[in-house]
Amino acid sequence: MRTMPEFLTLSSSAQAAIDAIKKSSDESSRDYAVRLTKNFSGLRKRDLSCISGLSLRELRNTPELRELSPTAQAARMACPKTDDENMSAYARRIKLAHPHLTILECSSLSGTDPYNLRRMKVFIGMSDNAVKAGMEVPRVPGECDAYFARRVKASHPKLTSSECAAIVGCSENTFSHYAEFNIMLEAALDVRQTAATNPSESFNSQLNQALLLEVYRDDCSVSDILPPSSKKIKV
């Protein structure tokens, strides 16, 4: 019961925060707590819990309320979130702009759950060329995923489809029908020709060969190497 908001006592600074910043009718308790923290950085967690209605445990699990390192603070100042940008898109953009940021730092900056970030390829690892492309070609406000992917590909033709998808934050199917993504890289063509002279016995062996090649070749991906008939098979 001691951790429940209704049993906590307000400090004088908390009362001043309430008087200065009122909760909007359409504002969630979490958003209100984040807004209070941005305007009154000295508020105790107990005060914040009492004002917002969130429990102390809920406050501890809110990424935006974690204390930021100086590096993360500098990244936020250099790369602020735009009004029309969702949390995942901002996390991806700030990671591309500042590759040294950790998952927890990007989570705190964007408000995205760390678990969700660990599933995004930009946080798993990308080639140096892909990271460079993500930093050099920012998304234009309001730009759809397919057009952004085409612009990234035009600027950095050697990027694979999977790398473009990681930079944009979408599925490869979003842009795979455009001509520039259907033209296979020369490296992938070489692999195809080798496979044609030494045909694999099954799809599984073709897939294993493609996976091994992707590990050692930065200029092509599995989707570039596998034959068109194999791409239609869901693994």
Side-chain angles (χ1 to χ4, degrees):
M1 290 177 62
R2 289 193 297 269
T3 62
M4 298 174 65
E6 54 267 36
F7 290 95
L8 300 177
T9 305
L10 279 178
S11 65
S12 57
S13 59
Q15 188 60 57
I18 293 177
D19 294 338
I21 301 178
K22 303 295 183 182
K23 185 172 185 275
S24 304
S25 58
D26 59 345
E27 189 174 31
S28 68
S29 296
R30 170 175 167 156
D31 290 343
Y32 183 44
V34 172
R35 190 158 63 92
L36 282 167
T37 303
K38 288 180 178 178
N39 288 274
F40 290 88
S41 57
L43 279 178
R44 302 178 307 171
K45 283 289 190 293
R46 295 176 67 85
D47 289 332
L48 197 57
S49 173
C50 191
I51 298 171
S52 66
L54 294 176
S55 68
L56 292 175
R57 180 175 182 177
E58 288 172 321
L59 291 176
R60 284 194 294 270
N61 291 332
T62 302
E64 301 98 316
L65 299 180
R66 298 191 187 111
E67 187 174 350
L68 291 176
S69 66
T71 301
Q73 291 177 9
R76 181 168 62 183
M77 292 182 64
C79 189
K81 185 176 182 292
T82 60
D83 293 336
D84 60 343
E85 193 171 32
N86 63 41
M87 294 189 297
S88 296
Y90 179 52
R92 182 181 297 104
R93 183 166 65 86
I94 202 167
K95 177 64 174 178
L96 288 170
H98 300 273
H100 54 278
L101 290 176
T102 65
I103 286 180
L104 286 179
E105 286 174 330
C106 288
S107 171
S108 299
L109 289 166
S110 66
T112 311
D113 189 282
Y115 173 78
N116 293 331
L117 293 182
R118 290 189 181 96
R119 299 171 63 188
M120 297 165 59
K121 187 167 182 177
V122 66
F123 290 94
I124 297 173
M126 295 195 302
S127 67
D128 293 340
N129 191 33
V131 173
K132 182 172 180 285
M135 295 175 65
E136 292 179 352
V137 188
R139 185 193 286 262
V140 175
E143 187 175 33
C144 72
D145 291 340
Y147 287 170
F148 182 32
R150 297 185 72 185
R151 203 157 52 78
V152 171
K153 180 71 171 177
S155 178
H156 296 268
K158 290 187 178 181
L159 287 177
T160 65
S161 294
S162 61
E163 287 174 328
C164 288
I167 293 171
V168 175
C170 66
S171 166
E172 293 179 40
N173 293 333
T174 304
F175 50 76
S176 60
H177 57 285
Y178 288 104
E180 57 264 48
F181 294 99
N182 284 321
I183 300 174
M184 291 201 330
L185 299 171
E186 186 176 343
L189 284 170
D190 292 342
V191 174
R192 281 276 191 89
Q193 291 170 358
T194 302
T197 56
N198 300 284
S200 302
E201 296 180 358
S202 66
F203 169 71
N204 287 334
S205 61
Q206 287 181 341
L207 178 60
N208 289 334
Q209 181 187 26
L211 289 171
L212 286 172
L213 286 165
E214 186 182 34
V215 170
Y216 297 105
R217 298 290 288 268
D218 291 333
D219 53 352
C220 57
S221 69
V222 170
S223 61
D224 293 320
I225 297 166
L226 284 176
S229 58
S230 299
K231 293 182 186 180
K232 298 177 182 178
I233 300 176
K234 294 183 179 180
V235 182

